[in-house]
Amino acid sequence: MKTVSDLIFLLLGITLGACSAAELPPACSAGLAPTSTVAPTLPLRLHNEFSGVAQVAFVISPSGQVQSPAIISADWRPVGRSSGQPVGYNEAVIAAVAQWRYPHRRQACRHQVPVEFQAGSVSATAGRSNNSFKPMPLRGTA
């Protein structure tokens, strides 16, 4: 698993650099928490079908912006009568994490977080999701 994470971060570093000489940013400090998060938004037809956790890797720029978010693993479980593979969940998580903000820093760093998505009961309010979204800090890793 460590090798897979290192490979993902290597690929992130390559995509971030405008030139081929860009170095892989160092890992962020442990306990780093976002100053602003955005919950994943799913199309109405997808609400409450799956619950699970997606592990998202990305680089935090010196200005605190998330760059090149990528899902390195995901475990989605069907809820209720749902079956098959989830559609749109990974994309919703990536789009949301791309909008997160972190404190300013001296240099870019690489980071990863698990994003938990728990389906709840169906809401009577049209267009609103009662899904529970939790950005969870990693324990012991950066």
Side-chain angles (χ1 to χ4, degrees):
M1 185 75 172
K2 179 77 171 141
T3 305
V4 172
S5 294
D6 289 343
L7 180 60
I8 294 294
F9 287 127
L10 176 63
L11 293 174
L12 286 172
I14 291 170
T15 60
L16 285 177
C19 64
S20 61
E23 291 185 24
L24 186 65
C28 295
S29 57
L32 182 63
T35 57
S36 171
T37 62
V38 174
T41 303
L42 296 170
L44 290 177
R45 65 182 174 79
L46 298 178
H47 284 193
N48 302 321
E49 291 185 2
F50 289 86
S51 288
V53 177
Q55 191 74 22
V56 184
F58 49 89
V59 172
I60 301 172
S61 72
S63 65
Q65 294 182 326
V66 170
Q67 298 176 334
S68 303
I71 300 219
I72 57 174
S73 67
D75 179 26
W76 299 113
R77 296 172 305 281
V79 175
R81 297 181 188 171
S82 298
S83 63
Q85 295 296 316
V87 176
Y89 281 69
N90 289 348
E91 294 82 359
V93 168
I94 288 172
V97 171
Q99 298 176 60
W100 291 11
R101 297 296 176 257
Y102 283 82
H104 288 13
R105 44 195 337 95
R106 291 183 190 201
Q107 64 179 1
C109 64
R110 56 190 164 90
H111 193 51
Q112 68 181 39
V113 294
V115 177
E116 182 177 351
F117 197 88
Q118 294 179 346
S121 60
V122 177
S123 172
T125 307
R128 294 189 60 194
S129 169
N130 60 353
N131 290 318
S132 173
F133 155 72
K134 298 178 188 173
M136 303 180 315
L138 283 177
R139 294 186 183 113
T141 59

